[in-house]
Amino acid sequence: MKITVIGAGYVGLVTAACFADLGNQVLCAKKTSKNLDKLNKGISHIYEPGLSEILKTNIEKGRIEFTNDIKRAIDFSDIIFICVGTPQSDSGKADLSQVEDVARQIAENLDNYKLIVEKSTVPVNTHQWVKKTIKRYSKDNIEFDVSSNPEFLREGTGVYDFNNPDRIVVGVESEKASTIFKELYRSFTEKGSTLLITTPAAAELIKHASNSFLAMKISYINMIAELCEKVGIDINMIADGIGYDQRIGRDFLNSGIGYGGSCFPKDVKAFIKIAEDHGLDFGLLKETEKINADMRKRFLEKIENVLWMNKDKNITIWGLAFKKGTDDIREAPAIDIVRELNKTGANLRLYDPQARENFQKLFLENKNIKYFSDKYEALKDSDALLIITEWEEFKKIDLNKVKGLMRLPIIIDGRNIYEPEVMNGFEYYSIGREKFEKSEIMK
Ligand code: UDX
């Protein structure tokens, strides 16, 4: 099938490339010509495992092309995926101006039936506004459908998640739209994937409800981690103990410094606002946010309790991205940690396998902030190592080499990637896995 994708950010790029890889003919439009040449050579401007490979393959096969000519993109296909950004505005509400802009441009170029598909995360009933906008700005009375097909892609595994969906959710208002989606996703349903066909409003709401639940699950286990620290229980025992219950599930029960990224923080805030707009108070999600913010504060307190004074201490930080497998630093815990430690006069030595370039835009190198391209180099004469992102390479380190490089063998693990029992010879601290009392350090 021919498919138009509008937006070449994380969602648009993965969606366009993966639809092409399934044998569809895809034209992906982006606002500016920035990165256009690179994309048409199959070079992705976003680090996402496997994406560049499928981009290259499908560019060579002529199955995907990138353009900044939105009119051409709208004319190209009867199916138009809206994958533009819906960032958080100051009020916490989602800023839908890019969605409105695309809707108006579709209207102005509408001369035959189109199925317009909201893939961007939007508040419930946004499809009504998209429909109204197209009606207002289009000439004649040309038939079209507005639908919702939210994505559930995780950064770092977007290509895998697209091809292995737990479920595909589509919200439609006509039989015609439903038939198009059944054809589009036939290769998935034939493999046994579930295609959930509902209304546009329900599909829009499923996305916010899904992300907010996952964020809440993380804050729930982090709340319990605080208690575990007081009573001396390993939080992972609790996570395992409850996670075996099929109704709970072990995923997203990994305690640590908390969630970041461009989705959970934004979507939880937007969902709270959506509820407020309908006269409801989503206190549970407000508490989810509070717990998540507190985890960063607690981590800074832990550093202070362990190091006492930070001034002139060499503190190494492994992990700047908001999670492993991505170069994305949006809402990353490392931002708060670096900002606050930078105020204490510590010498920060930062390493991340992918996110350094993005992080450097926020924190320029200076006499107190140094970036390293080798994680062991970053450890030389260090007084403490902080683990902030759960990169796989950090789990396979040579602990003897680490101890030999550091001035003090102190590791404060914000992602619980090490097991306490193998950390002999280190002062090892983590989240929800030990009673922390100053006296233990002083003796
Ligand atoms: C999330 C949703 O998982 C995805 O379905 C949606 O489409 C977009 O938002 P993403 O934000 O890319 O995906 O990453 P995810 O793997 O969900 O992790 C989000 C944050 O939660 C990261 O900061 C991660 O470190 C943290 N996390 C995740 C935990 O702290 N504990 C966990 O057990 C899992």
Side-chain angles (χ1 to χ4, degrees), residues 10-11 121 151-157 161 167 207 210-211 214-215 218 221-222 250-265 267 292 296 321-324 331-333 388-390 415:
Y10 171 73
V11 172
T121 300
E151 49 77 25
F152 300 99
L153 308 177
R154 294 166 295 174
E155 291 198 34
T157 55
D161 291 339
R167 76 314 198 174
K207 172 65 184 175
S210 180
N211 259 14
L214 292 168
I218 292 166
I221 201 67
N222 280 338
R250 181 62 177 77
D251 279 357
F252 281 70
L253 285 177
N254 299 323
S255 177
I257 197 167
Y259 62 79
S262 64
C263 296
F264 283 176
D267 292 353
N292 196 56
R296 301 175 188 202
F322 83 91
K323 64 174 278 198
K324 69 179 178 184
E331 303 283 331
I388 307 290
T389 309
E390 65 283 21
R415 291 294 182 185

Short mmCIF file of all heavy atoms in Angstrom, two decimals, residues 10-11 121 151-157 161 167 207 210-211 214-215 218 221-222 250-265 267 292 296 321-324 331-333 388-390 415, ligand 1:
data_model
loop_
_atom_site.label_atom_id
_atom_site.label_comp_id
_atom_site.label_asym_id
_atom_site.label_seq_id
_atom_site.Cartn_x
_atom_site.Cartn_y
_atom_site.Cartn_z
N TYR A 10 11.23 10.68 16.14
CA TYR A 10 11.42 9.30 16.58
C TYR A 10 10.28 8.41 16.09
O TYR A 10 10.47 7.38 15.43
CB TYR A 10 11.53 9.29 18.10
CG TYR A 10 11.53 7.92 18.65
CD1 TYR A 10 12.64 7.09 18.51
CD2 TYR A 10 10.38 7.41 19.22
CE1 TYR A 10 12.62 5.79 18.95
CE2 TYR A 10 10.34 6.11 19.67
CZ TYR A 10 11.47 5.30 19.53
OH TYR A 10 11.42 4.02 19.96
N VAL A 11 9.03 8.83 16.30
CA VAL A 11 7.88 7.97 15.94
C VAL A 11 7.71 7.91 14.43
O VAL A 11 7.58 6.84 13.83
CB VAL A 11 6.59 8.49 16.61
CG1 VAL A 11 5.37 7.74 16.08
CG2 VAL A 11 6.67 8.36 18.12
N THR A 121 0.80 11.16 20.10
CA THR A 121 0.02 11.02 21.33
C THR A 121 -0.77 12.31 21.55
O THR A 121 -0.19 13.39 21.66
CB THR A 121 0.98 10.78 22.53
OG1 THR A 121 1.71 9.59 22.27
CG2 THR A 121 0.21 10.65 23.83
N GLU A 151 0.92 4.72 18.99
CA GLU A 151 2.10 3.83 18.97
C GLU A 151 2.46 3.49 20.41
O GLU A 151 2.16 4.25 21.33
CB GLU A 151 3.27 4.48 18.25
CG GLU A 151 3.61 5.89 18.66
CD GLU A 151 4.37 6.01 19.97
OE1 GLU A 151 5.06 5.05 20.37
OE2 GLU A 151 4.25 7.08 20.61
N PHE A 152 3.11 2.34 20.58
CA PHE A 152 3.56 1.93 21.92
C PHE A 152 5.06 1.61 21.86
O PHE A 152 5.53 0.67 22.47
CB PHE A 152 2.74 0.71 22.38
CG PHE A 152 1.26 0.99 22.46
CD1 PHE A 152 0.41 0.60 21.43
CD2 PHE A 152 0.72 1.70 23.53
CE1 PHE A 152 -0.95 0.88 21.47
CE2 PHE A 152 -0.64 1.98 23.58
CZ PHE A 152 -1.48 1.57 22.56
N LEU A 153 5.77 2.39 21.02
CA LEU A 153 7.20 2.13 20.79
C LEU A 153 8.03 2.63 21.96
O LEU A 153 7.81 3.72 22.46
CB LEU A 153 7.67 2.84 19.51
CG LEU A 153 6.84 2.58 18.24
CD1 LEU A 153 7.39 3.42 17.09
CD2 LEU A 153 6.81 1.11 17.87
N ARG A 154 8.99 1.80 22.41
CA ARG A 154 9.93 2.25 23.44
C ARG A 154 11.22 2.68 22.76
O ARG A 154 11.71 1.97 21.86
CB ARG A 154 10.25 1.09 24.40
CG ARG A 154 9.07 0.63 25.24
CD ARG A 154 9.35 -0.70 25.89
NE ARG A 154 9.51 -1.74 24.86
CZ ARG A 154 9.88 -2.99 25.14
NH1 ARG A 154 10.18 -3.35 26.39
NH2 ARG A 154 9.97 -3.90 24.18
N GLU A 155 11.80 3.80 23.18
CA GLU A 155 13.08 4.21 22.59
C GLU A 155 14.11 3.13 22.91
O GLU A 155 14.14 2.56 23.98
CB GLU A 155 13.51 5.57 23.15
CG GLU A 155 12.59 6.68 22.65
CD GLU A 155 13.20 8.07 22.81
OE1 GLU A 155 14.42 8.20 22.67
OE2 GLU A 155 12.44 9.00 23.08
N GLY A 156 14.93 2.87 21.90
CA GLY A 156 15.95 1.83 22.07
C GLY A 156 15.49 0.48 21.56
O GLY A 156 16.29 -0.39 21.25
N THR A 157 14.16 0.31 21.47
CA THR A 157 13.65 -0.97 20.91
C THR A 157 12.49 -0.68 19.95
O THR A 157 11.60 -1.51 19.76
CB THR A 157 13.12 -1.88 22.04
OG1 THR A 157 12.15 -1.14 22.80
CG2 THR A 157 14.23 -2.35 22.95
N ASP A 161 9.69 -3.21 18.66
CA ASP A 161 8.32 -3.01 19.17
C ASP A 161 7.32 -2.84 18.03
O ASP A 161 6.20 -3.34 18.09
CB ASP A 161 8.25 -1.77 20.07
CG ASP A 161 9.01 -1.96 21.38
OD1 ASP A 161 9.23 -3.12 21.78
OD2 ASP A 161 9.42 -0.94 21.98
N ARG A 167 -0.31 -5.41 20.95
CA ARG A 167 -1.62 -5.20 20.32
C ARG A 167 -1.50 -3.97 19.44
O ARG A 167 -0.65 -3.13 19.64
CB ARG A 167 -2.73 -5.03 21.36
CG ARG A 167 -2.88 -3.69 22.13
CD ARG A 167 -1.73 -3.10 22.67
NE ARG A 167 -1.94 -2.10 23.71
CZ ARG A 167 -0.89 -1.57 24.36
NH1 ARG A 167 0.35 -1.94 24.06
NH2 ARG A 167 -1.08 -0.65 25.29
N LYS A 207 -3.93 5.27 24.87
CA LYS A 207 -2.51 5.63 24.86
C LYS A 207 -2.11 6.29 26.17
O LYS A 207 -1.14 5.90 26.82
CB LYS A 207 -2.22 6.55 23.68
CG LYS A 207 -0.83 7.13 23.66
CD LYS A 207 0.25 6.08 23.48
CE LYS A 207 1.62 6.71 23.58
NZ LYS A 207 2.71 5.72 23.53
N SER A 210 -2.35 3.87 29.07
CA SER A 210 -1.29 2.85 29.04
C SER A 210 0.01 3.42 29.60
O SER A 210 0.62 2.87 30.51
CB SER A 210 -1.11 2.40 27.59
OG SER A 210 -0.12 1.43 27.49
N ASN A 211 0.41 4.57 29.08
CA ASN A 211 1.68 5.16 29.53
C ASN A 211 1.63 5.56 30.99
O ASN A 211 2.58 5.35 31.74
CB ASN A 211 2.02 6.37 28.66
CG ASN A 211 3.06 6.02 27.61
OD1 ASN A 211 3.33 4.85 27.38
ND2 ASN A 211 3.64 7.02 26.99
N LEU A 214 2.09 2.57 33.23
CA LEU A 214 3.48 2.10 33.31
C LEU A 214 4.31 3.02 34.22
O LEU A 214 5.11 2.56 35.03
CB LEU A 214 4.07 2.05 31.89
CG LEU A 214 3.48 0.98 30.98
CD1 LEU A 214 3.92 1.21 29.54
CD2 LEU A 214 3.85 -0.42 31.43
N ALA A 215 4.08 4.31 34.09
CA ALA A 215 4.80 5.26 34.95
C ALA A 215 4.40 5.03 36.42
O ALA A 215 5.26 5.03 37.32
CB ALA A 215 4.46 6.70 34.54
N ILE A 218 6.17 2.09 37.95
CA ILE A 218 7.56 2.39 38.33
C ILE A 218 7.59 3.15 39.65
O ILE A 218 8.35 2.83 40.57
CB ILE A 218 8.26 3.19 37.22
CG1 ILE A 218 8.43 2.33 35.96
CG2 ILE A 218 9.61 3.73 37.69
CD1 ILE A 218 8.80 3.12 34.72
N ILE A 221 6.85 0.77 42.66
CA ILE A 221 7.95 -0.06 43.16
C ILE A 221 9.02 0.83 43.81
O ILE A 221 9.67 0.43 44.79
CB ILE A 221 8.55 -0.96 42.05
CG1 ILE A 221 9.29 -2.15 42.68
CG2 ILE A 221 9.42 -0.18 41.09
CD1 ILE A 221 8.41 -3.13 43.40
N ASN A 222 9.16 2.05 43.32
CA ASN A 222 10.13 2.95 43.94
C ASN A 222 9.66 3.42 45.31
O ASN A 222 10.47 3.63 46.22
CB ASN A 222 10.41 4.14 43.02
CG ASN A 222 11.40 3.78 41.92
OD1 ASN A 222 12.17 2.83 42.06
ND2 ASN A 222 11.34 4.52 40.82
N ARG A 250 6.29 -8.85 36.02
CA ARG A 250 7.57 -8.38 36.56
C ARG A 250 8.09 -7.15 35.81
O ARG A 250 8.85 -6.35 36.36
CB ARG A 250 8.60 -9.52 36.47
CG ARG A 250 9.98 -9.18 37.01
CD ARG A 250 9.94 -8.84 38.47
NE ARG A 250 11.27 -8.57 39.03
CZ ARG A 250 11.96 -7.44 38.87
NH1 ARG A 250 11.42 -6.44 38.14
NH2 ARG A 250 13.14 -7.26 39.43
N ASP A 251 7.69 -6.96 34.58
CA ASP A 251 8.20 -5.81 33.81
C ASP A 251 7.80 -4.49 34.46
O ASP A 251 6.73 -4.38 35.05
CB ASP A 251 7.64 -5.82 32.37
CG ASP A 251 8.41 -6.79 31.49
OD1 ASP A 251 9.40 -7.37 32.00
OD2 ASP A 251 8.02 -6.98 30.32
N PHE A 252 8.70 -3.51 34.34
CA PHE A 252 8.45 -2.17 34.86
C PHE A 252 8.32 -2.15 36.38
O PHE A 252 7.66 -1.29 36.95
CB PHE A 252 7.24 -1.52 34.16
CG PHE A 252 7.62 -0.99 32.80
CD1 PHE A 252 7.93 -1.88 31.79
CD2 PHE A 252 7.76 0.36 32.57
CE1 PHE A 252 8.36 -1.43 30.56
CE2 PHE A 252 8.17 0.83 31.32
CZ PHE A 252 8.48 -0.08 30.32
N LEU A 253 9.00 -3.12 36.99
CA LEU A 253 9.11 -3.11 38.46
C LEU A 253 10.58 -3.02 38.85
O LEU A 253 10.99 -3.48 39.91
CB LEU A 253 8.49 -4.39 39.04
CG LEU A 253 6.96 -4.47 39.06
CD1 LEU A 253 6.50 -5.82 39.61
CD2 LEU A 253 6.33 -3.33 39.88
N ASN A 254 11.42 -2.46 37.96
CA ASN A 254 12.84 -2.28 38.28
C ASN A 254 13.02 -0.94 38.99
O ASN A 254 12.87 0.12 38.38
CB ASN A 254 13.70 -2.29 37.00
CG ASN A 254 13.55 -3.61 36.27
OD1 ASN A 254 13.44 -4.67 36.91
ND2 ASN A 254 13.49 -3.56 34.95
N SER A 255 13.34 -1.05 40.28
CA SER A 255 13.48 0.16 41.10
C SER A 255 14.78 0.87 40.72
O SER A 255 15.74 0.24 40.29
CB SER A 255 13.53 -0.23 42.57
OG SER A 255 13.74 0.91 43.35
N GLY A 256 14.77 2.19 40.87
CA GLY A 256 15.98 2.95 40.55
C GLY A 256 15.71 4.43 40.73
O GLY A 256 14.78 4.82 41.45
N ILE A 257 16.48 5.23 40.02
CA ILE A 257 16.41 6.68 40.18
C ILE A 257 15.14 7.24 39.53
O ILE A 257 14.83 8.43 39.65
CB ILE A 257 17.68 7.33 39.60
CG1 ILE A 257 17.83 8.77 40.09
CG2 ILE A 257 17.71 7.21 38.08
CD1 ILE A 257 19.20 9.36 39.83
N GLY A 258 14.39 6.37 38.81
CA GLY A 258 13.07 6.78 38.30
C GLY A 258 13.03 6.99 36.80
O GLY A 258 14.03 6.85 36.11
N TYR A 259 11.84 7.34 36.31
CA TYR A 259 11.66 7.42 34.86
C TYR A 259 11.96 8.82 34.32
O TYR A 259 11.84 9.82 35.01
CB TYR A 259 10.25 6.97 34.44
CG TYR A 259 9.11 7.80 34.99
CD1 TYR A 259 8.77 9.03 34.42
CD2 TYR A 259 8.36 7.35 36.07
CE1 TYR A 259 7.71 9.78 34.92
CE2 TYR A 259 7.30 8.09 36.57
CZ TYR A 259 6.99 9.31 35.99
OH TYR A 259 5.95 10.08 36.48
N GLY A 260 12.35 8.85 33.06
CA GLY A 260 12.57 10.11 32.33
C GLY A 260 12.02 9.89 30.93
O GLY A 260 11.09 9.09 30.75
N GLY A 261 12.58 10.58 29.96
CA GLY A 261 12.16 10.38 28.58
C GLY A 261 11.16 11.43 28.11
O GLY A 261 10.69 12.25 28.88
N SER A 262 10.83 11.32 26.81
CA SER A 262 9.95 12.34 26.22
C SER A 262 8.48 11.93 26.36
O SER A 262 7.59 12.63 25.92
CB SER A 262 10.27 12.45 24.73
OG SER A 262 9.97 11.21 24.09
N CYS A 263 8.23 10.77 26.97
CA CYS A 263 6.83 10.30 27.02
C CYS A 263 6.22 10.28 28.40
O CYS A 263 5.25 10.99 28.66
CB CYS A 263 6.75 8.92 26.36
SG CYS A 263 7.16 9.01 24.63
N PHE A 264 6.77 9.43 29.30
CA PHE A 264 6.13 9.29 30.61
C PHE A 264 5.89 10.65 31.29
O PHE A 264 4.77 10.96 31.69
CB PHE A 264 6.94 8.38 31.52
CG PHE A 264 6.80 6.92 31.19
CD1 PHE A 264 7.53 5.97 31.87
CD2 PHE A 264 5.94 6.49 30.20
CE1 PHE A 264 7.41 4.60 31.56
CE2 PHE A 264 5.81 5.14 29.88
CZ PHE A 264 6.55 4.20 30.58
N PRO A 265 6.95 11.48 31.45
CA PRO A 265 6.70 12.75 32.17
C PRO A 265 5.61 13.59 31.46
O PRO A 265 4.68 14.07 32.11
CB PRO A 265 8.06 13.44 32.14
CG PRO A 265 9.06 12.35 31.97
CD PRO A 265 8.40 11.33 31.11
N ASP A 267 3.26 12.60 29.22
CA ASP A 267 1.94 11.97 29.12
C ASP A 267 1.20 11.93 30.46
O ASP A 267 -0.01 12.11 30.51
CB ASP A 267 2.07 10.55 28.56
CG ASP A 267 2.51 10.58 27.09
OD1 ASP A 267 2.57 11.69 26.51
OD2 ASP A 267 2.83 9.52 26.53
N ASN A 292 8.33 10.13 41.63
CA ASN A 292 9.41 10.11 40.64
C ASN A 292 10.39 11.26 40.86
O ASN A 292 11.61 11.07 40.81
CB ASN A 292 8.83 10.19 39.22
CG ASN A 292 9.86 9.78 38.18
OD1 ASN A 292 10.41 8.68 38.24
ND2 ASN A 292 10.16 10.69 37.27
N ARG A 296 14.98 11.43 42.62
CA ARG A 296 16.20 12.15 42.28
C ARG A 296 16.74 12.89 43.51
O ARG A 296 17.94 12.92 43.75
CB ARG A 296 15.92 13.13 41.13
CG ARG A 296 15.43 12.38 39.90
CD ARG A 296 15.02 13.27 38.76
NE ARG A 296 14.38 12.46 37.72
CZ ARG A 296 14.29 12.82 36.44
NH1 ARG A 296 14.80 13.97 36.05
NH2 ARG A 296 13.70 12.05 35.56
N ALA A 321 21.92 9.33 29.19
CA ALA A 321 20.64 9.12 28.48
C ALA A 321 19.56 8.76 29.49
O ALA A 321 19.86 8.27 30.58
CB ALA A 321 20.79 7.99 27.46
N PHE A 322 18.29 8.99 29.11
CA PHE A 322 17.21 8.74 30.09
C PHE A 322 17.00 7.26 30.31
O PHE A 322 16.37 6.85 31.29
CB PHE A 322 15.91 9.44 29.65
CG PHE A 322 15.08 8.70 28.65
CD1 PHE A 322 14.08 7.82 29.05
CD2 PHE A 322 15.29 8.89 27.28
CE1 PHE A 322 13.31 7.13 28.12
CE2 PHE A 322 14.52 8.22 26.35
CZ PHE A 322 13.54 7.33 26.76
N LYS A 323 17.52 6.43 29.38
CA LYS A 323 17.47 4.97 29.53
C LYS A 323 18.50 4.36 28.60
O LYS A 323 19.04 5.05 27.71
CB LYS A 323 16.08 4.43 29.20
CG LYS A 323 15.69 4.65 27.75
CD LYS A 323 14.39 4.01 27.37
CE LYS A 323 14.52 2.56 27.05
NZ LYS A 323 13.39 2.03 26.29
N LYS A 324 18.77 3.07 28.73
CA LYS A 324 19.76 2.43 27.85
C LYS A 324 19.21 2.37 26.42
O LYS A 324 18.00 2.44 26.21
CB LYS A 324 20.08 1.03 28.35
CG LYS A 324 18.94 0.03 28.21
CD LYS A 324 19.35 -1.34 28.70
CE LYS A 324 18.19 -2.32 28.60
NZ LYS A 324 18.51 -3.65 29.16
N GLU A 331 14.27 14.88 29.84
CA GLU A 331 13.84 14.54 31.20
C GLU A 331 14.73 13.47 31.85
O GLU A 331 14.27 12.73 32.73
CB GLU A 331 12.38 14.05 31.20
CG GLU A 331 11.40 15.04 30.62
CD GLU A 331 11.04 16.20 31.59
OE1 GLU A 331 11.11 15.96 32.81
OE2 GLU A 331 10.76 17.30 31.11
N ALA A 332 15.96 13.34 31.38
CA ALA A 332 16.85 12.31 31.96
C ALA A 332 17.22 12.65 33.39
O ALA A 332 17.51 13.82 33.71
CB ALA A 332 18.11 12.20 31.11
N PRO A 333 17.23 11.65 34.28
CA PRO A 333 17.64 11.91 35.67
C PRO A 333 19.02 12.56 35.76
O PRO A 333 19.27 13.40 36.62
CB PRO A 333 17.64 10.51 36.30
CG PRO A 333 16.67 9.72 35.49
CD PRO A 333 16.78 10.27 34.09
N ILE A 388 23.79 6.07 36.46
CA ILE A 388 22.51 6.78 36.28
C ILE A 388 21.66 6.18 35.15
O ILE A 388 20.46 6.33 35.10
CB ILE A 388 22.77 8.28 35.98
CG1 ILE A 388 23.68 8.91 37.05
CG2 ILE A 388 21.47 9.08 35.90
CD1 ILE A 388 23.06 9.08 38.40
N THR A 389 22.34 5.47 34.21
CA THR A 389 21.62 4.83 33.11
C THR A 389 22.03 3.36 33.03
O THR A 389 23.20 3.05 33.22
CB THR A 389 21.97 5.50 31.75
OG1 THR A 389 21.81 6.89 31.89
CG2 THR A 389 21.09 4.97 30.62
N GLU A 390 21.04 2.49 32.75
CA GLU A 390 21.29 1.05 32.87
C GLU A 390 21.86 0.44 31.58
O GLU A 390 21.41 -0.61 31.10
CB GLU A 390 20.00 0.35 33.28
CG GLU A 390 18.83 0.38 32.29
CD GLU A 390 18.06 1.71 32.20
OE1 GLU A 390 18.59 2.78 32.58
OE2 GLU A 390 16.93 1.67 31.71
N ARG A 415 20.66 2.48 39.35
CA ARG A 415 19.83 1.59 38.54
C ARG A 415 19.91 0.14 39.01
O ARG A 415 19.47 -0.77 38.31
CB ARG A 415 20.26 1.67 37.06
CG ARG A 415 19.94 3.01 36.40
CD ARG A 415 18.45 3.24 36.26
NE ARG A 415 18.14 4.50 35.58
CZ ARG A 415 16.93 4.99 35.43
NH1 ARG A 415 15.91 4.32 35.95
NH2 ARG A 415 16.70 6.12 34.82
C1 UDX B 1 7.55 4.53 26.96
C2 UDX B 1 6.58 3.36 26.84
O1 UDX B 1 7.20 2.18 27.34
C3 UDX B 1 6.19 3.16 25.38
O2 UDX B 1 5.24 2.12 25.27
C4 UDX B 1 5.58 4.47 24.86
O3 UDX B 1 5.21 4.34 23.50
C5 UDX B 1 6.57 5.59 25.01
O4 UDX B 1 6.98 5.73 26.39
P1 UDX B 1 10.12 4.97 26.59
O5 UDX B 1 9.84 6.20 27.36
O6 UDX B 1 10.81 5.08 25.29
O7 UDX B 1 8.70 4.19 26.27
O8 UDX B 1 11.00 3.98 27.49
P2 UDX B 1 10.66 2.94 28.64
O9 UDX B 1 11.43 1.72 28.36
O10 UDX B 1 9.22 2.83 28.85
O11 UDX B 1 11.34 3.63 29.96
C6 UDX B 1 10.83 4.86 30.39
C7 UDX B 1 11.60 5.28 31.63
O12 UDX B 1 11.26 4.40 32.72
C8 UDX B 1 13.13 5.21 31.48
O13 UDX B 1 13.70 6.33 32.13
C9 UDX B 1 13.50 3.93 32.24
O14 UDX B 1 14.82 4.01 32.79
C10 UDX B 1 12.45 3.92 33.34
N1 UDX B 1 12.14 2.59 33.85
C11 UDX B 1 11.62 1.65 33.01
C12 UDX B 1 12.32 2.32 35.20
O15 UDX B 1 12.80 3.18 35.95
N2 UDX B 1 12.00 1.10 35.69
C13 UDX B 1 11.49 0.11 34.88
O16 UDX B 1 11.23 -0.98 35.37
C14 UDX B 1 11.30 0.40 33.49
#
